[in-house]
Amino acid sequence: MTSTVPIMSQDEERFMAFCGLLQWTQGVVLQATRVAAAEKLFSDRQIDHTKVGEVLRCEHHYFVVAAYKLIEHRHWVKDFGLCQDVDFSEIDGFPIRDIKDLRNMREHVVEYFQGKGREKTRWVVETPEYKADASSCVGSVIGGRLDYVRFAHAAERLLAELRQLPLPYPSV
């Protein structure tokens, strides 16, 4: 039987959780600019759309990963009682299950294409406006689930608020 041994003190973990939240919130903001730049390049009729499409799909995937990491760290800091006065309502308004599913589905896309994915019934999303699968992007909605523009704007506002807080440095 193995026991769980923490790799750092609780003070150090609190610090890492907070710094990780800052990191991934900034990551979402930066990744949104990369997605927008790739979309702009993709709209250019004079370029090789195959190559740019590959880049665009990668940027979408990286955005989804950053979004999920932001949410993961948001809950980690909450476990430590950090950021109690921070307004997370915009971020909390995005369905966590959809973002986690999207991250997982894109991470395991080969398995889904081979019919082995865990949540196969959730691969396709159908709304009155569109039908999309987890590997697609409709406008600014990645995989039919995550509007990267809206999420990035929420992250920008959150980042401004987080940067006003003191860093919870570990005690020495």
Side-chain angles (χ1 to χ4, degrees):
M1 192 128 163
T2 61
S3 64
T4 305
V5 179
I7 61 170
M8 61 185 72
S9 72
Q10 207 165 32
D11 276 354
E12 291 167 324
E13 190 177 349
R14 286 169 45 102
F15 178 73
M16 295 303 293
F18 184 79
C19 289
L21 178 61
L22 283 170
Q23 167 193 329
W24 288 109
T25 305
Q26 178 65 49
V28 164
V29 173
L30 292 173
Q31 194 55 41
T33 63
R34 292 175 59 111
V35 171
E39 285 179 344
K40 184 177 180 185
L41 190 58
F42 191 75
S43 69
D44 183 347
R45 297 187 186 277
Q46 312 217 333
I47 51 103
D48 182 346
H49 284 88
T50 304
K51 290 178 184 172
V52 176
E54 293 164 358
V55 170
L56 184 55
R57 284 187 294 278
C58 284
E59 299 301 349
H60 285 152
H61 179 74
Y62 301 149
F63 183 87
V64 170
V65 170
Y68 185 71
K69 296 305 284 181
L70 184 162
I71 289 169
E72 186 178 58
H73 282 76
R74 180 264 187 274
H75 291 286
W76 194 18
V77 299
K78 184 179 177 184
D79 291 345
F80 285 107
L82 296 169
C83 304
Q84 291 181 3
D85 295 329
V86 172
D87 182 6
F88 285 100
S89 62
E90 270 190 285
I91 294 297
D92 291 345
F94 289 85
I96 294 171
R97 181 175 181 197
D98 283 349
I99 295 170
K100 186 175 183 178
D101 279 354
L102 190 56
R103 193 271 326 253
N104 289 343
M105 289 173 181
R106 286 176 159 255
E107 199 70 28
H108 300 280
V109 70
V110 173
E111 294 161 37
Y112 278 89
F113 286 164
Q114 294 173 344
K116 301 175 191 173
R118 288 187 180 167
E119 297 284 345
K120 289 183 275 194
T121 59
R122 293 179 49 78
W123 179 257
V124 174
V125 172
E126 197 165 348
T127 73
E129 295 83 32
Y130 59 82
K131 182 177 180 178
D133 68 45
S135 69
S136 67
C137 189
V138 179
S140 62
V141 182
I142 300 172
R145 293 167 176 82
L146 178 58
D147 186 323
Y148 87 86
V149 172
R150 284 184 46 240
F151 195 88
H153 286 163
E156 283 182 75
R157 289 184 282 277
L158 176 60
L159 187 60
E161 199 172 342
L162 291 173
R163 287 192 170 145
Q164 300 301 311
L165 299 175
L167 285 173
Y169 287 110
S171 55
V172 224

